[in-house]
Amino acid sequence: MRSLLLLAHGSRRDASNDEVRGLATAVAARMDGRYDRVACAFLELAEPSIGEAIDREVAAGCDEVICLPYFLSAGRHVSEDIPGLIEAARERHPQARIRLERYLGAQNRLADLIAEVVP
């Protein structure tokens, strides 16, 4: 089984965390079977944590977990914190392929999307 996790910062504002959860649901609806599961996880201030979410996906039978940081720039969280959490998860689950994708802001199509949505 294959899982996609959107990794967000997390907020003290519940509505912001709910936006990320809603985005995960919307992404899942557009995956056309490419992923068996799509969910989100948070670096801090909200649940589930990134480590907990990866553990949950592996426990659910996923042998591949793709992690996409939902961040626009490569600050400390993207360049240090998240890779450290992913490495710890790999050590806990050597039987699973846990892959860290480039963060959202580094994706080539982001410029196209901005150009498309701005009148």
Side-chain angles (χ1 to χ4, degrees):
M1 279 182 29
R2 196 168 185 220
S3 172
L4 172 63
L5 284 178
L6 301 180
L7 310 181
H9 185 276
S11 175
R12 287 181 181 85
R13 188 172 174 266
D14 289 337
S16 295
N17 300 323
D18 288 342
E19 282 184 48
V20 176
R21 292 180 184 105
L23 176 62
T25 299
V27 168
R30 291 167 171 79
M31 281 291 135
D32 295 325
R34 289 186 292 160
Y35 291 88
D36 300 291
R37 296 167 57 95
V38 177
C40 63
F42 300 94
L43 183 63
E44 56 189 21
L45 305 171
E47 297 295 328
S49 71
I50 293 170
E52 291 168 343
I54 292 171
D55 293 349
R56 180 192 62 216
E57 296 305 299
V58 172
C62 294
D63 58 359
E64 184 175 15
V65 181
I66 309 302
C67 300
L68 174 66
Y70 183 58
F71 288 74
L72 293 179
S73 59
R76 190 183 58 133
H77 291 321
V78 168
S79 62
E80 297 174 22
D81 298 337
I82 292 173
L85 293 168
I86 298 302
E87 187 55 38
R90 287 177 179 145
E91 290 174 12
R92 287 193 311 279
H93 304 289
Q95 77 282 12
R97 292 180 307 273
I98 302 171
R99 190 171 83 217
L100 179 59
E101 289 293 321
R102 294 183 327 162
Y103 62 97
L104 185 64
Q107 300 295 325
N108 293 332
R109 293 183 57 201
L110 185 59
D112 294 336
L113 174 62
I114 291 170
E116 181 181 319
V117 300
V118 175

